[in-house]
Amino acid sequence: MIKKPSYLWVLGIGVFFPVLALLIATFGGGGQGSTSSPVDYALMFLAGALIGTGVVYLLRKCTTPGAFRTVVIFFLVSVPLALFGMIVGGSVGGIGLILLSVSPVLFLAGMGYLFGRLFFKQRT
């Protein structure tokens, strides 16, 4: 039996994305720092919270440890796509930020869930 993650992880994942974007802007932006407004960071938190809700939901549905690990691996692989979607979507606007960051991550996490269910069957 695997332990189900709490929905409080949604807040942690939601905070993770704006903090990571700020770190990338500060240290990877050529020393120029971040020029994003607080509204952009609030939208990044919202996008991260939506991603977290989907990932925690899929993790709670996993019945085997192998499926659980597969969802986590697919989520971690999709984090760079989410950050790229937040950067590109931020230039388009709030809807673009949420759409371009949430969609690929939830798609890949869902694929991880399906692969996990397919390859790691519950032993009875």
Side-chain angles (χ1 to χ4, degrees), residues 13-46:
I13 294 172
V15 169
F16 172 73
F17 281 101
V19 168
L20 191 59
L22 183 62
L23 288 174
I24 289 172
T26 302
F27 296 114
Q32 294 182 7
S34 175
T35 58
S36 298
S37 71
V39 173
D40 291 335
Y41 288 113
L43 289 173
M44 285 182 197
F45 172 77
L46 178 63

PDB file of all heavy atoms in Angstrom, residues 13-46:
ATOM      1  N   ILE A  13       3.574  23.062  -4.549  1.00  0.00           N
ATOM      2  CA  ILE A  13       3.858  23.089  -5.985  1.00  0.00           C
ATOM      3  C   ILE A  13       3.511  24.457  -6.558  1.00  0.00           C
ATOM      4  O   ILE A  13       4.211  24.976  -7.428  1.00  0.00           O
ATOM      5  CB  ILE A  13       3.090  21.957  -6.707  1.00  0.00           C
ATOM      6  CG1 ILE A  13       3.623  20.599  -6.246  1.00  0.00           C
ATOM      7  CG2 ILE A  13       3.217  22.078  -8.216  1.00  0.00           C
ATOM      8  CD1 ILE A  13       2.838  19.413  -6.740  1.00  0.00           C
ATOM      9  N   GLY A  14       2.450  25.075  -6.043  1.00  0.00           N
ATOM     10  CA  GLY A  14       2.081  26.413  -6.506  1.00  0.00           C
ATOM     11  C   GLY A  14       3.154  27.442  -6.193  1.00  0.00           C
ATOM     12  O   GLY A  14       3.452  28.315  -7.016  1.00  0.00           O
ATOM     13  N   VAL A  15       3.777  27.357  -5.030  1.00  0.00           N
ATOM     14  CA  VAL A  15       4.844  28.292  -4.654  1.00  0.00           C
ATOM     15  C   VAL A  15       6.132  27.967  -5.399  1.00  0.00           C
ATOM     16  O   VAL A  15       6.930  28.862  -5.697  1.00  0.00           O
ATOM     17  CB  VAL A  15       5.054  28.254  -3.121  1.00  0.00           C
ATOM     18  CG1 VAL A  15       6.310  28.987  -2.707  1.00  0.00           C
ATOM     19  CG2 VAL A  15       3.842  28.844  -2.422  1.00  0.00           C
ATOM     20  N   PHE A  16       6.347  26.703  -5.734  1.00  0.00           N
ATOM     21  CA  PHE A  16       7.565  26.264  -6.404  1.00  0.00           C
ATOM     22  C   PHE A  16       7.790  26.981  -7.726  1.00  0.00           C
ATOM     23  O   PHE A  16       8.916  27.393  -8.028  1.00  0.00           O
ATOM     24  CB  PHE A  16       7.487  24.743  -6.621  1.00  0.00           C
ATOM     25  CG  PHE A  16       8.575  24.173  -7.473  1.00  0.00           C
ATOM     26  CD1 PHE A  16       9.859  24.056  -6.982  1.00  0.00           C
ATOM     27  CD2 PHE A  16       8.307  23.736  -8.765  1.00  0.00           C
ATOM     28  CE1 PHE A  16      10.870  23.513  -7.767  1.00  0.00           C
ATOM     29  CE2 PHE A  16       9.297  23.201  -9.554  1.00  0.00           C
ATOM     30  CZ  PHE A  16      10.592  23.087  -9.052  1.00  0.00           C
ATOM     31  N   PHE A  17       6.752  27.162  -8.526  1.00  0.00           N
ATOM     32  CA  PHE A  17       6.928  27.731  -9.858  1.00  0.00           C
ATOM     33  C   PHE A  17       7.316  29.214  -9.845  1.00  0.00           C
ATOM     34  O   PHE A  17       8.245  29.592 -10.556  1.00  0.00           O
ATOM     35  CB  PHE A  17       5.682  27.475 -10.713  1.00  0.00           C
ATOM     36  CG  PHE A  17       5.641  26.077 -11.249  1.00  0.00           C
ATOM     37  CD1 PHE A  17       4.843  25.121 -10.663  1.00  0.00           C
ATOM     38  CD2 PHE A  17       6.421  25.711 -12.323  1.00  0.00           C
ATOM     39  CE1 PHE A  17       4.823  23.828 -11.133  1.00  0.00           C
ATOM     40  CE2 PHE A  17       6.410  24.416 -12.810  1.00  0.00           C
ATOM     41  CZ  PHE A  17       5.607  23.472 -12.213  1.00  0.00           C
ATOM     42  N   PRO A  18       6.670  30.092  -9.071  1.00  0.00           N
ATOM     43  CA  PRO A  18       7.143  31.481  -9.049  1.00  0.00           C
ATOM     44  C   PRO A  18       8.544  31.628  -8.466  1.00  0.00           C
ATOM     45  O   PRO A  18       9.335  32.439  -8.945  1.00  0.00           O
ATOM     46  CB  PRO A  18       6.124  32.221  -8.187  1.00  0.00           C
ATOM     47  CG  PRO A  18       4.977  31.336  -8.032  1.00  0.00           C
ATOM     48  CD  PRO A  18       5.424  29.949  -8.347  1.00  0.00           C
ATOM     49  N   VAL A  19       8.861  30.827  -7.450  1.00  0.00           N
ATOM     50  CA  VAL A  19      10.199  30.894  -6.860  1.00  0.00           C
ATOM     51  C   VAL A  19      11.244  30.440  -7.870  1.00  0.00           C
ATOM     52  O   VAL A  19      12.295  31.068  -8.033  1.00  0.00           O
ATOM     53  CB  VAL A  19      10.265  30.052  -5.564  1.00  0.00           C
ATOM     54  CG1 VAL A  19      11.692  29.869  -5.084  1.00  0.00           C
ATOM     55  CG2 VAL A  19       9.412  30.687  -4.484  1.00  0.00           C
ATOM     56  N   LEU A  20      10.968  29.368  -8.585  1.00  0.00           N
ATOM     57  CA  LEU A  20      11.890  28.884  -9.603  1.00  0.00           C
ATOM     58  C   LEU A  20      12.045  29.893 -10.736  1.00  0.00           C
ATOM     59  O   LEU A  20      13.155  30.131 -11.219  1.00  0.00           O
ATOM     60  CB  LEU A  20      11.419  27.539 -10.142  1.00  0.00           C
ATOM     61  CG  LEU A  20      12.388  26.774 -11.025  1.00  0.00           C
ATOM     62  CD1 LEU A  20      13.688  26.488 -10.289  1.00  0.00           C
ATOM     63  CD2 LEU A  20      11.760  25.471 -11.474  1.00  0.00           C
ATOM     64  N   ALA A  21      10.942  30.515 -11.151  1.00  0.00           N
ATOM     65  CA  ALA A  21      11.021  31.541 -12.204  1.00  0.00           C
ATOM     66  C   ALA A  21      11.830  32.739 -11.729  1.00  0.00           C
ATOM     67  O   ALA A  21      12.616  33.315 -12.503  1.00  0.00           O
ATOM     68  CB  ALA A  21       9.617  31.974 -12.608  1.00  0.00           C
ATOM     69  N   LEU A  22      11.673  33.122 -10.469  1.00  0.00           N
ATOM     70  CA  LEU A  22      12.452  34.232  -9.919  1.00  0.00           C
ATOM     71  C   LEU A  22      13.931  33.887  -9.850  1.00  0.00           C
ATOM     72  O   LEU A  22      14.785  34.725 -10.181  1.00  0.00           O
ATOM     73  CB  LEU A  22      11.927  34.613  -8.538  1.00  0.00           C
ATOM     74  CG  LEU A  22      12.596  35.800  -7.860  1.00  0.00           C
ATOM     75  CD1 LEU A  22      12.387  37.065  -8.683  1.00  0.00           C
ATOM     76  CD2 LEU A  22      12.064  35.976  -6.457  1.00  0.00           C
ATOM     77  N   LEU A  23      14.257  32.667  -9.443  1.00  0.00           N
ATOM     78  CA  LEU A  23      15.655  32.240  -9.400  1.00  0.00           C
ATOM     79  C   LEU A  23      16.277  32.215 -10.789  1.00  0.00           C
ATOM     80  O   LEU A  23      17.425  32.630 -10.972  1.00  0.00           O
ATOM     81  CB  LEU A  23      15.774  30.868  -8.742  1.00  0.00           C
ATOM     82  CG  LEU A  23      15.540  30.818  -7.240  1.00  0.00           C
ATOM     83  CD1 LEU A  23      15.534  29.382  -6.752  1.00  0.00           C
ATOM     84  CD2 LEU A  23      16.585  31.634  -6.517  1.00  0.00           C
ATOM     85  N   ILE A  24      15.528  31.745 -11.762  1.00  0.00           N
ATOM     86  CA  ILE A  24      16.043  31.710 -13.135  1.00  0.00           C
ATOM     87  C   ILE A  24      16.240  33.123 -13.657  1.00  0.00           C
ATOM     88  O   ILE A  24      17.243  33.429 -14.308  1.00  0.00           O
ATOM     89  CB  ILE A  24      15.111  30.887 -14.048  1.00  0.00           C
ATOM     90  CG1 ILE A  24      15.225  29.410 -13.688  1.00  0.00           C
ATOM     91  CG2 ILE A  24      15.442  31.107 -15.514  1.00  0.00           C
ATOM     92  CD1 ILE A  24      14.230  28.525 -14.379  1.00  0.00           C
ATOM     93  N   ALA A  25      15.307  34.008 -13.373  1.00  0.00           N
ATOM     94  CA  ALA A  25      15.432  35.392 -13.838  1.00  0.00           C
ATOM     95  C   ALA A  25      16.601  36.095 -13.157  1.00  0.00           C
ATOM     96  O   ALA A  25      17.293  36.910 -13.773  1.00  0.00           O
ATOM     97  CB  ALA A  25      14.140  36.153 -13.582  1.00  0.00           C
ATOM     98  N   THR A  26      16.835  35.791 -11.896  1.00  0.00           N
ATOM     99  CA  THR A  26      17.893  36.459 -11.148  1.00  0.00           C
ATOM    100  C   THR A  26      19.273  35.942 -11.536  1.00  0.00           C
ATOM    101  O   THR A  26      20.184  36.724 -11.823  1.00  0.00           O
ATOM    102  CB  THR A  26      17.685  36.284  -9.629  1.00  0.00           C
ATOM    103  OG1 THR A  26      16.400  36.810  -9.299  1.00  0.00           O
ATOM    104  CG2 THR A  26      18.751  37.012  -8.851  1.00  0.00           C
ATOM    105  N   PHE A  27      19.437  34.623 -11.545  1.00  0.00           N
ATOM    106  CA  PHE A  27      20.759  34.057 -11.773  1.00  0.00           C
ATOM    107  C   PHE A  27      21.018  33.670 -13.219  1.00  0.00           C
ATOM    108  O   PHE A  27      22.164  33.625 -13.647  1.00  0.00           O
ATOM    109  CB  PHE A  27      20.963  32.837 -10.871  1.00  0.00           C
ATOM    110  CG  PHE A  27      20.959  33.187  -9.417  1.00  0.00           C
ATOM    111  CD1 PHE A  27      19.957  32.722  -8.592  1.00  0.00           C
ATOM    112  CD2 PHE A  27      21.936  34.001  -8.885  1.00  0.00           C
ATOM    113  CE1 PHE A  27      19.940  33.042  -7.251  1.00  0.00           C
ATOM    114  CE2 PHE A  27      21.933  34.340  -7.544  1.00  0.00           C
ATOM    115  CZ  PHE A  27      20.928  33.857  -6.728  1.00  0.00           C
ATOM    116  N   GLY A  28      19.999  33.374 -13.993  1.00  0.00           N
ATOM    117  CA  GLY A  28      20.191  32.950 -15.369  1.00  0.00           C
ATOM    118  C   GLY A  28      19.877  34.019 -16.384  1.00  0.00           C
ATOM    119  O   GLY A  28      20.043  33.813 -17.578  1.00  0.00           O
ATOM    120  N   GLY A  29      19.425  35.176 -15.938  1.00  0.00           N
ATOM    121  CA  GLY A  29      19.030  36.234 -16.863  1.00  0.00           C
ATOM    122  C   GLY A  29      20.136  37.213 -17.193  1.00  0.00           C
ATOM    123  O   GLY A  29      19.871  38.343 -17.567  1.00  0.00           O
ATOM    124  N   GLY A  30      21.369  36.797 -17.040  1.00  0.00           N
ATOM    125  CA  GLY A  30      22.470  37.696 -17.369  1.00  0.00           C
ATOM    126  C   GLY A  30      22.648  38.792 -16.339  1.00  0.00           C
ATOM    127  O   GLY A  30      23.175  39.854 -16.651  1.00  0.00           O
ATOM    128  N   GLY A  31      22.201  38.579 -15.128  1.00  0.00           N
ATOM    129  CA  GLY A  31      22.360  39.558 -14.063  1.00  0.00           C
ATOM    130  C   GLY A  31      21.389  40.719 -14.141  1.00  0.00           C
ATOM    131  O   GLY A  31      21.531  41.705 -13.428  1.00  0.00           O
ATOM    132  N   GLN A  32      20.386  40.638 -14.995  1.00  0.00           N
ATOM    133  CA  GLN A  32      19.438  41.740 -15.142  1.00  0.00           C
ATOM    134  C   GLN A  32      18.321  41.677 -14.113  1.00  0.00           C
ATOM    135  O   GLN A  32      17.596  42.633 -13.930  1.00  0.00           O
ATOM    136  CB  GLN A  32      18.846  41.748 -16.544  1.00  0.00           C
ATOM    137  CG  GLN A  32      19.881  42.046 -17.604  1.00  0.00           C
ATOM    138  CD  GLN A  32      19.264  42.101 -18.976  1.00  0.00           C
ATOM    139  OE1 GLN A  32      18.057  42.035 -19.121  1.00  0.00           O
ATOM    140  NE2 GLN A  32      20.104  42.216 -19.979  1.00  0.00           N
ATOM    141  N   GLY A  33      18.155  40.563 -13.465  1.00  0.00           N
ATOM    142  CA  GLY A  33      17.096  40.437 -12.475  1.00  0.00           C
ATOM    143  C   GLY A  33      15.742  40.238 -13.125  1.00  0.00           C
ATOM    144  O   GLY A  33      15.612  40.074 -14.324  1.00  0.00           O
ATOM    145  N   SER A  34      14.727  40.285 -12.302  1.00  0.00           N
ATOM    146  CA  SER A  34      13.372  40.049 -12.774  1.00  0.00           C
ATOM    147  C   SER A  34      12.646  41.364 -12.997  1.00  0.00           C
ATOM    148  O   SER A  34      12.714  42.278 -12.184  1.00  0.00           O
ATOM    149  CB  SER A  34      12.609  39.213 -11.753  1.00  0.00           C
ATOM    150  OG  SER A  34      11.280  39.073 -12.154  1.00  0.00           O
ATOM    151  N   THR A  35      11.960  41.452 -14.106  1.00  0.00           N
ATOM    152  CA  THR A  35      11.155  42.638 -14.402  1.00  0.00           C
ATOM    153  C   THR A  35       9.664  42.307 -14.360  1.00  0.00           C
ATOM    154  O   THR A  35       8.858  43.087 -14.851  1.00  0.00           O
ATOM    155  CB  THR A  35      11.514  43.200 -15.792  1.00  0.00           C
ATOM    156  OG1 THR A  35      11.291  42.183 -16.767  1.00  0.00           O
ATOM    157  CG2 THR A  35      12.965  43.654 -15.827  1.00  0.00           C
ATOM    158  N   SER A  36       9.320  41.168 -13.792  1.00  0.00           N
ATOM    159  CA  SER A  36       7.924  40.747 -13.730  1.00  0.00           C
ATOM    160  C   SER A  36       7.192  41.486 -12.609  1.00  0.00           C
ATOM    161  O   SER A  36       7.768  41.823 -11.584  1.00  0.00           O
ATOM    162  CB  SER A  36       7.828  39.249 -13.480  1.00  0.00           C
ATOM    163  OG  SER A  36       8.416  38.526 -14.526  1.00  0.00           O
ATOM    164  N   SER A  37       5.920  41.690 -12.837  1.00  0.00           N
ATOM    165  CA  SER A  37       5.097  42.357 -11.835  1.00  0.00           C
ATOM    166  C   SER A  37       4.551  41.324 -10.842  1.00  0.00           C
ATOM    167  O   SER A  37       4.573  40.124 -11.114  1.00  0.00           O
ATOM    168  CB  SER A  37       3.937  43.087 -12.517  1.00  0.00           C
ATOM    169  OG  SER A  37       3.015  42.149 -13.019  1.00  0.00           O
ATOM    170  N   PRO A  38       4.057  41.780  -9.700  1.00  0.00           N
ATOM    171  CA  PRO A  38       3.453  40.847  -8.743  1.00  0.00           C
ATOM    172  C   PRO A  38       2.260  40.086  -9.327  1.00  0.00           C
ATOM    173  O   PRO A  38       1.989  38.959  -8.922  1.00  0.00           O
ATOM    174  CB  PRO A  38       3.017  41.747  -7.587  1.00  0.00           C
ATOM    175  CG  PRO A  38       3.916  42.927  -7.661  1.00  0.00           C
ATOM    176  CD  PRO A  38       4.195  43.122  -9.124  1.00  0.00           C
ATOM    177  N   VAL A  39       1.569  40.685 -10.277  1.00  0.00           N
ATOM    178  CA  VAL A  39       0.446  39.986 -10.912  1.00  0.00           C
ATOM    179  C   VAL A  39       0.953  38.779 -11.697  1.00  0.00           C
ATOM    180  O   VAL A  39       0.326  37.714 -11.684  1.00  0.00           O
ATOM    181  CB  VAL A  39      -0.336  40.958 -11.834  1.00  0.00           C
ATOM    182  CG1 VAL A  39      -1.397  40.227 -12.625  1.00  0.00           C
ATOM    183  CG2 VAL A  39      -0.946  42.073 -11.020  1.00  0.00           C
ATOM    184  N   ASP A  40       2.119  38.927 -12.353  1.00  0.00           N
ATOM    185  CA  ASP A  40       2.690  37.796 -13.084  1.00  0.00           C
ATOM    186  C   ASP A  40       3.018  36.649 -12.129  1.00  0.00           C
ATOM    187  O   ASP A  40       2.771  35.484 -12.439  1.00  0.00           O
ATOM    188  CB  ASP A  40       3.949  38.216 -13.831  1.00  0.00           C
ATOM    189  CG  ASP A  40       3.656  39.155 -14.981  1.00  0.00           C
ATOM    190  OD1 ASP A  40       2.523  39.116 -15.515  1.00  0.00           O
ATOM    191  OD2 ASP A  40       4.560  39.930 -15.352  1.00  0.00           O
ATOM    192  N   TYR A  41       3.576  36.994 -10.974  1.00  0.00           N
ATOM    193  CA  TYR A  41       3.901  35.954  -9.998  1.00  0.00           C
ATOM    194  C   TYR A  41       2.637  35.327  -9.415  1.00  0.00           C
ATOM    195  O   TYR A  41       2.615  34.133  -9.128  1.00  0.00           O
ATOM    196  CB  TYR A  41       4.797  36.506  -8.899  1.00  0.00           C
ATOM    197  CG  TYR A  41       6.201  36.762  -9.399  1.00  0.00           C
ATOM    198  CD1 TYR A  41       6.703  38.043  -9.489  1.00  0.00           C
ATOM    199  CD2 TYR A  41       7.003  35.704  -9.806  1.00  0.00           C
ATOM    200  CE1 TYR A  41       7.986  38.276  -9.965  1.00  0.00           C
ATOM    201  CE2 TYR A  41       8.280  35.922 -10.285  1.00  0.00           C
ATOM    202  CZ  TYR A  41       8.768  37.207 -10.361  1.00  0.00           C
ATOM    203  OH  TYR A  41      10.023  37.419 -10.839  1.00  0.00           O
ATOM    204  N   ALA A  42       1.594  36.103  -9.259  1.00  0.00           N
ATOM    205  CA  ALA A  42       0.321  35.549  -8.785  1.00  0.00           C
ATOM    206  C   ALA A  42      -0.255  34.576  -9.817  1.00  0.00           C
ATOM    207  O   ALA A  42      -0.779  33.514  -9.455  1.00  0.00           O
ATOM    208  CB  ALA A  42      -0.673  36.665  -8.488  1.00  0.00           C
ATOM    209  N   LEU A  43      -0.142  34.925 -11.090  1.00  0.00           N
ATOM    210  CA  LEU A  43      -0.612  34.017 -12.144  1.00  0.00           C
ATOM    211  C   LEU A  43       0.254  32.766 -12.222  1.00  0.00           C
ATOM    212  O   LEU A  43      -0.250  31.671 -12.493  1.00  0.00           O
ATOM    213  CB  LEU A  43      -0.659  34.736 -13.484  1.00  0.00           C
ATOM    214  CG  LEU A  43      -1.771  35.778 -13.624  1.00  0.00           C
ATOM    215  CD1 LEU A  43      -1.624  36.552 -14.926  1.00  0.00           C
ATOM    216  CD2 LEU A  43      -3.130  35.116 -13.554  1.00  0.00           C
ATOM    217  N   MET A  44       1.567  32.929 -11.975  1.00  0.00           N
ATOM    218  CA  MET A  44       2.436  31.748 -11.938  1.00  0.00           C
ATOM    219  C   MET A  44       2.056  30.835 -10.783  1.00  0.00           C
ATOM    220  O   MET A  44       2.074  29.613 -10.919  1.00  0.00           O
ATOM    221  CB  MET A  44       3.900  32.166 -11.813  1.00  0.00           C
ATOM    222  CG  MET A  44       4.499  32.720 -13.067  1.00  0.00           C
ATOM    223  SD  MET A  44       6.221  33.117 -12.773  1.00  0.00           S
ATOM    224  CE  MET A  44       6.531  34.186 -14.165  1.00  0.00           C
ATOM    225  N   PHE A  45       1.708  31.433  -9.643  1.00  0.00           N
ATOM    226  CA  PHE A  45       1.249  30.627  -8.511  1.00  0.00           C
ATOM    227  C   PHE A  45      -0.044  29.902  -8.864  1.00  0.00           C
ATOM    228  O   PHE A  45      -0.204  28.721  -8.550  1.00  0.00           O
ATOM    229  CB  PHE A  45       1.045  31.491  -7.270  1.00  0.00           C
ATOM    230  CG  PHE A  45       0.386  30.749  -6.142  1.00  0.00           C
ATOM    231  CD1 PHE A  45       1.112  29.852  -5.372  1.00  0.00           C
ATOM    232  CD2 PHE A  45      -0.963  30.916  -5.880  1.00  0.00           C
ATOM    233  CE1 PHE A  45       0.501  29.144  -4.351  1.00  0.00           C
ATOM    234  CE2 PHE A  45      -1.569  30.210  -4.862  1.00  0.00           C
ATOM    235  CZ  PHE A  45      -0.837  29.321  -4.095  1.00  0.00           C
ATOM    236  N   LEU A  46      -0.966  30.602  -9.515  1.00  0.00           N
ATOM    237  CA  LEU A  46      -2.231  29.985  -9.911  1.00  0.00           C
ATOM    238  C   LEU A  46      -1.988  28.825 -10.872  1.00  0.00           C
ATOM    239  O   LEU A  46      -2.577  27.746 -10.723  1.00  0.00           O
ATOM    240  CB  LEU A  46      -3.156  31.020 -10.541  1.00  0.00           C
ATOM    241  CG  LEU A  46      -4.499  30.511 -11.037  1.00  0.00           C
ATOM    242  CD1 LEU A  46      -5.318  29.969  -9.881  1.00  0.00           C
ATOM    243  CD2 LEU A  46      -5.247  31.604 -11.754  1.00  0.00           C
TER     244      LEU A  46
END
